[in-house]
Amino acid sequence: MLRLHDTATGAVRPLELRSPGKVSVYVCGVTVSDVPHVGHGRFSLVWDVVRRYLEWSGLEVRYVSNITDVDDKIIARAEREGREPAEVAEEYERAWYETMDRLGVRRPDDDPHATAYVDRMVELVGELVERGVAYETDDGVYLSVADVPGYGLLARQDLDSLRAGARIEVDDAKRSPLDFAVWKKAKPGEPSWPSPWGEGRPGWHTECVVMSLDLLGEGFELHGGGLDLAFPHHENERAQAVALGKRFAEHWVHNGLVVVAGGEKMGKSLGNTADLASLLRSHDPRAYRLLVLRSHYRSPIVVTETEIADAAAALRRLDTVFRRAAEIGLAAAAPDAEVVERFRGHMDNDLNTPPAMGLLFEQVRRANTLLDSEDDDSAATVLGTIGVLASAVGLAVGQEEVEAPDEAALAVARQRDGARAAGDWGAADAARDELVRLGYVVEDGPTGTSLRRR
RNA sequence: GGCGACGUGGCCGAGUGGUUCAGGCAAGGGCCUGCAAAGCCCUCUACCCGGGUUCGAUUCCCGGCGUCGCCUCCA
């Protein structure tokens, strides 16, 4: 069984299942107020890998990830651009999924939208007020963190030290600076919903509690998100569940952040985000997945053109071995069970993908060696192993998109083969130069000149 | 100030109390090739600093130094 680091305990421990063979995962999604940035790509890939690996391990996975479609940034943007907030949210949700598709990130089984759950959130806030753990002020309803046992679990700090470090502005209406809004009263012109506390909208931390409990039920197995969400977002989600006496997530997993060259994290607040879609325009999106897999999911990573290009070069080895096999009509066979088990050992150990990828590339070399020595049966087995490992982490291989060379190029290639057969190396090399100029990689294969787009 | 993470070879990045210390990229040499490419083989450069524990530490402990994260919206 997969063992994962749990932020609540600070230890790596097995994922425990409510019912055998089934696992529910809730991953905090995005606020659709802008185009996705490179950091979003990392987190999406990490969780896509978790999901695929769980399925690969034979579990039935229910994967839920929300879309926050009402919040201050969306409202601010709508105002700036003279549009409706809903229109802004729809535009960036589209952009989000288009980019995720490019990355090969599968869509969630459910993607609850905050605006569709406002009624349930109003109910929840009402219950909190009834229980006396939330209170109304001029601008909203706040949860009193002092009334929540164990507040600070995910921050791994107690209430006093959290309070000592609080940087938020002092608001006299709040009982503690750490108290957070579960309901925000509307200012004129803002999107709003009716509630016992007047027109307003739910606080951000409230949506995820309501939606995760509604879709996955109490005590769901795994709650994930970026490390920057551990506190206060996840802490506050948990606080609400605890305040209501409900069982919440059993296991908390947080992925490391993308950092820029100096080591500083990439984030909206720092204004140093890089556009994800444009990165994917200039490189094979699978290279980003491989880059993510080559470091541990909790480590910070730098993602620039250089790193992506490095990963893309490694990826070519993976594609090449399948292309070599295809050229001789060799199909993958059943995998080497021993290697698959070693792979599983790495993955089960807190999703240790770097050595798992090491194993994958060792298999690539093995397959190449076997192909060199024309040991096709053994090569087919290793190829099968590579396919199984790659599919476990969502790395599409052996299905490289090959753009067929155009007629003119094929004609030149035939001329080259003719010249080579005749021993006319000058003509053969001139033909190769011409093909390179046309943008092809030229290789001599078992069937003569082989071409592929550079 | 509080809490936490990290510091490995030219770069990325695992890992381990001790004979052979993943994997990828890059570099050099070789094999293969008409020449290449691809592939394969070989080589190079490590464990931030100072103490300690130990027969032996990159790995454990203590202390430095450095980088980063969270304590505010952020994946």
Side-chain angles (χ1 to χ4, degrees), chain A residues 317-318 320-325 330-340 342-343 356-391 397-398:
Chain A
R317 283 173 60 73
L318 216 42
T320 299
V321 73
F322 278 95
R323 198 173 53 242
R324 286 188 73 186
L330 185 68
D336 180 335
E338 187 265 328
V339 174
V340 173
R342 277 201 284 151
F343 173 81
M357 291 301 101
L359 194 55
L360 179 70
F361 280 93
E362 279 172 17
Q363 302 311 305
V364 170
R365 190 172 56 233
R366 239 179 103 195
N368 275 316
T369 302
L370 292 165
L371 287 169
D372 282 348
S373 62
E374 296 178 15
D375 184 349
D376 291 358
D377 288 349
S378 305
T381 298
V382 179
L383 234 38
T385 309
I386 295 170
V388 166
L389 305 194
S391 75
V397 290

Side-chain angles (χ1 to χ4, degrees), chain A residues 185-245:
Chain A
K185 295 184 181 175
K187 298 189 190 82
E190 288 183 347
S192 68
W193 290 259
S195 84
W197 316 279
E199 287 284 312
R201 64 179 190 277
W204 177 44
H205 310 305
T206 301
E207 67 178 85
C208 290
V209 198
V210 169
M211 299 191 295
S212 59
L213 288 175
D214 189 70
L215 290 164
L216 301 176
E218 284 192 53
F220 63 91
E221 284 84 5
L222 184 56
H223 193 133
L227 188 58
D228 52 356
L229 295 187
F231 190 94
H233 183 54
H234 288 159
E235 187 78 54
N236 289 349
E237 281 182 43
R238 183 180 167 277
Q240 292 169 84
V242 169
L244 293 174

